[in-house]
Amino acid sequence: MGTLLRQIIVNCNNLSRLSIQSNLLKNVNSALLPLAVNKRYSNAPTPYEVVDRKSEEKSNQEVINKVNQLVKDEKTLKLFAVVHVAGKQFKITDGDVIVIEGYWPPTVGDKILLEKVLLAGGSDFTFIGRPVVQKGLVRVEATVIEKTVSHTKTHFRKKRRKQYMRINFYRIPHTYLRINRICINGEVNNPPEVRGLETAIF
Amino acid sequence: MSNSHLFLKPGFIKVPLQNGVGRYVCQLQRVVLKFCKNHGSSRGMRDFIESDLVNFAMDNPAVVVYLKPRRHRSAVIKAEYLNGDQQWLGCKNFTKEEILKWLNLLVTQSQYHTGTRIRKLWHTDNPSIQGPWTPFTFRDPKLNLASFPNEELAKPQDSNETNHEALIELFKKQKLDDLEQRRAE
């Protein structure tokens, strides 16, 4: 677990949850291997454990530094993100096209930022939002490339033996979004002093 | 009742190559408004041409607009896209607002979509960044060195006693209890 195999960083100021997670992993490895490795879930409560605060903080800082280094080193870092748009979640990377169903005001040619990022990551690290990754840390740029309507859908109702039959046809609006870029701005676990004003218009 | 929706051709989303990667390119090339100068069914179209057409053309400089009057035939919009698709839209008895609405739809579309049902709301060239899950991800690397046949690994994963065994245990215990009771007597 010490290696940088797959590090989970919880993006928050206090890192208590991170320590709990690493403890869980330790317990699983030591106690249940190899018999119950395949166990998908457990109803057992999380065992209490005395955590050495200093060592925990130190290991957390190590992980954070490593991720910061990765972000800084590789300019061509391939990132993905899970974004929440108009009631649906999409897993996206650069160059993806997603379709948003239903009425959605942006029109073709609009360049927008998707700000509700639930999860973001590269090949070696993942930011998990609780529920949303710190605003401004991950920047997802997209362009609206098409607005159209779906195929004709049929809404058919019938009640047997009641001489009741209704038929209705409808098409729902579709908006095609091209994801232009996903990048990480700033440092992990080092949020700016004043937050929430990045996109505010005065 | 129409069954046409049951036999729609399923497909995945198609987008004109790299549109929107650098900049957005309008995919509608030209639009032909066909109408009659006298007939009542073209009235909405005539109103539209009179009041809104110039604004529409100003708003969409990339689209060429043609007008084609023809006697005693209903109003029609014909659209041609960059990929060669041609879309024909009957506008009989449409109001001018309806015509504007449909024209705006044609402008924002990239092709003649009708007739395909899209199966996924997502297209990607990189399906996985961290690698797809396999049965071996997150497994103990110790398994690589295991030699077979291996008794430990061959055992059932949930080694909890079965109901059958539990019943036998209960039965034995009951017997013992009976014995003790008899002795006590």
Side-chain angles (χ1 to χ4, degrees):
Chain A
M1 283 297 124
T3 57
L4 195 76
L5 194 68
R6 186 125 318 160
Q7 283 158 341
I8 296 168
I9 299 238
V10 179
N11 176 30
C12 193
N13 290 339
N14 66 342
L15 286 154
S16 55
R17 181 60 73 84
L18 183 70
S19 64
I20 290 170
Q21 278 191 344
S22 59
N23 282 341
L24 258 178
L25 287 175
K26 261 181 230 158
N27 284 335
V28 165
N29 276 0
S30 59
L32 303 175
L33 280 175
L35 214 106
V37 174
N38 275 17
K39 206 166 182 182
R40 296 284 189 274
Y41 62 91
S42 166
N43 291 330
T46 311
Y48 288 106
E49 197 173 315
V50 180
V51 178
D52 182 16
R53 207 184 162 120
K54 267 191 182 166
S55 68
E56 278 295 320
E57 266 176 19
K58 200 182 159 200
S59 69
N60 289 343
Q61 199 54 46
E62 268 175 23
V63 172
I64 287 165
N65 289 343
K66 269 181 189 166
V67 172
N68 275 333
Q69 199 59 39
L70 274 175
V71 171
K72 211 184 285 176
D73 284 350
E74 296 184 50
K75 286 293 169 199
T76 55
L77 195 68
K78 190 80 180 162
L79 296 173
F80 72 95
V82 175
V83 289
H84 190 282
V85 194
K88 279 200 174 72
Q89 296 179 9
F90 297 90
K91 199 218 94 181
I92 50 172
T93 49
D94 303 5
D96 280 14
V97 179
I98 57 173
V99 181
I100 289 148
E101 288 184 316
Y103 174 74
W104 204 55
T107 53
V108 285
D110 286 359
K111 289 188 179 277
I112 54 176
L113 296 179
L114 306 180
E115 291 194 332
K116 214 183 269 182
V117 180
L118 304 175
L119 187 142
S123 56
D124 297 322
F125 63 89
T126 313
F127 303 143
I128 298 171
R130 297 191 302 175
V132 176
V133 172
Q134 170 197 311
K135 201 178 168 191
L137 181 70
V138 182
R139 186 183 167 89
V140 182
E141 295 171 10
T143 313
V144 182
I145 53 170
E146 187 172 350
K147 279 184 87 90
T148 179
V149 283
S150 67
H151 67 275
T152 308
K153 298 184 174 187
T154 312
H155 182 215
F156 180 67
R157 285 172 292 171
K158 181 185 168 74
K159 287 180 183 166
R160 280 188 292 176
R161 302 179 295 278
K162 296 286 181 286
Q163 294 78 47
Y164 177 88
M165 212 150 78
R166 299 285 182 276
I167 190 162
N168 206 5
F169 299 101
Y170 65 100
R171 303 173 78 177
I172 49 173
H174 277 176
T175 306
Y176 287 52
L177 264 188
R178 166 85 68 185
I179 308 302
N180 293 124
R181 198 159 68 103
I182 299 176
C183 61
I184 293 171
N185 289 342
E187 283 189 333
V188 179
N189 205 35
N190 187 15
E193 200 75 357
V194 181
R195 277 183 285 173
L197 297 177
E198 298 90 357
T199 53
I201 299 163
F202 296 105
Chain B
M1 184 194 163
S2 99
N3 275 329
S4 60
H5 68 290
L6 298 176
F7 305 109
L8 280 174
K9 211 171 79 181
F12 296 96
I13 56 178
K14 270 190 281 181
V15 171
L17 195 64
Q18 304 295 324
N19 193 11
V21 169
R23 70 187 178 95
Y24 164 74
V25 177
C26 179
Q27 297 293 308
L28 184 69
Q29 283 297 89
R30 64 187 69 81
V31 84
V32 184
L33 307 181
K34 302 175 184 176
F35 63 101
C36 176
K37 291 183 183 176
N38 308 91
H39 207 274
S41 67
S42 295
R43 196 175 143 197
M45 183 68 92
R46 289 198 299 269
D47 288 348
F48 172 77
I49 290 166
E50 216 165 281
S51 56
D52 299 339
L53 184 65
V54 175
N55 288 338
F56 173 79
M58 299 260 264
D59 291 342
N60 302 288
V63 182
V64 183
V65 182
Y66 291 100
L67 297 179
K68 187 175 177 185
R70 43 188 203 163
R71 262 194 249 165
H72 306 150
R73 304 191 59 184
S74 62
V76 160
I77 296 173
K78 193 185 170 200
E80 290 173 41
Y81 295 98
L82 205 53
N83 67 350
D85 280 359
Q86 296 189 340
Q87 187 168 359
W88 188 94
L89 190 77
C91 302
K92 193 179 177 181
N93 292 329
F94 274 23
T95 62
K96 67 173 184 181
E97 289 82 13
E98 278 175 309
I99 285 169
L100 183 62
K101 191 188 84 178
W102 282 106
L103 268 179
N104 279 331
L105 177 74
L106 295 176
V107 168
T108 54
Q109 265 185 173
S110 73
Q111 57 180 309
Y112 183 36
H113 273 290
T114 317
T116 46
R117 169 177 64 84
I118 60 169
R119 292 176 54 183
K120 267 193 168 49
L121 301 176
W122 179 54
H123 169 83
T124 184
D125 295 329
N126 297 289
S128 181
I129 306 295
Q130 298 185 343
W133 181 89
T134 71
F136 304 105
T137 39
F138 308 128
R139 295 297 292 273
D140 187 16
K142 221 165 30 177
L143 287 173
N144 291 333
L145 302 174
S147 58
F148 295 98
N150 191 322
E151 283 221 352
E152 190 74 2
L153 292 171
K155 269 197 288 188
Q157 302 244 321
D158 49 342
S159 65
N160 302 336
E161 56 179 359
T162 57
N163 288 344
H164 179 68
E165 284 167 351
L167 271 178
I168 291 174
E169 281 296 308
L170 266 177
F171 180 67
K172 279 180 184 167
K173 202 186 164 202
Q174 208 176 13
K175 265 188 166 174
L176 280 178
D177 288 350
D178 285 351
L179 257 178
E180 277 175 14
Q181 267 187 6
R182 250 179 258 159
R183 271 181 203 157
E185 284 165 12

